[in-house]
């Protein structure tokens, strides 16, 4: 049976970078793993843009047809249905907000039948989710669009290359309040690997590598 994890959140929260990290970590453990890029809305920062990195590590990538082209309406490949019979880990990078989550709704019955975890990625420093109440409201819109419910919150609060130890520590109360409002657990807090050694006081810390960057970032 497939072990399905859905990664959802607001545009720019860092969910694609998290999905890539989780897929690479699964491959490093020796698990069969497939990463599904289900973002057919946002042309930027798609997980399938990192296909070479992922496939070199042993991660199978399934992406929308016609991605990386100038066609306006990419379609979802039939190969997506194969993940429900996949004997390994399945990580689905969901499109941002309720618009992107609508594509996921097409597979809600199969996902619910197979069993899943749905991780809601939050970033205190993004507009429209800077308060716990705003973040909670956005998740309800995502859940309505995809007809699935989140099972946990991931605190991925960051300021890109300006992220510091204080940036992350100052986000903890926000993440805890968001999880409390949603009545689901705060699963972990991420931190760039270069900062992780200075954040050992965080109980559930998930060090990540920063793969998804803008063209002018180098960190």
């Amino acid at each position: 049976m497939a072990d399905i994890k859905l990664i959802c959140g607001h545009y720019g929260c860092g969910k694609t970078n998290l999905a890539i990290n989780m897929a690479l970590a699964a491959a490093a453990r020796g698990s069969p793993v497939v990463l599904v890029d289900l973002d057919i809305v946002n042309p930027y920062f798609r997980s399938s843009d990192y296909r070479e990195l992922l496939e070199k590590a042993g991660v199978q990538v399934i992406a929308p047809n016609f991605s990386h082209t100038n066609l306006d309406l990419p379609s979802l490949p039939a190969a997506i249905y194969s993940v429900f019979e996949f004997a390994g880990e399945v990580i689905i990078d969901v499109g941002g907000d309720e618009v992107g989550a609508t594509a996921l709704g097409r597979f809600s019955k199969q996902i619910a039948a197979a069993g899943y975890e749905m991780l809601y990625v939050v970033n205190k420093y993004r507009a429209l989710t800077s308060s716990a109440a705003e973040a909670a409201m956005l998740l309800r819109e995502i859940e309505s669009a995809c007809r699935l419910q989140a099972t946990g919150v991931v605190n991925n609060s960051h300021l890109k290359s300006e992220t510091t130890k204080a940036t992350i520590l100052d986000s903890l109360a926000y993440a805890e309040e968001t999880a409390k409002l949603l009545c689901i657990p705060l699963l972990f807090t991420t931190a760039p690997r270069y900062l992780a050694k200075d954040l050992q006081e965080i109980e559930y810390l998930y060090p990540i590598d920063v793969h998804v960057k803008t063209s002018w970032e180098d960190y």
Side-chain angles (χ1 to χ4, degrees), residues 5-29:
K5 290 183 175 65
L6 313 172
I7 315 298
C8 69
H10 180 40
Y11 291 112
C13 67
K15 63 184 177 56
T16 292
N17 193 69
L18 177 63
I20 291 170
N21 272 268
M22 294 181 73
L24 292 173
R29 293 193 301 268

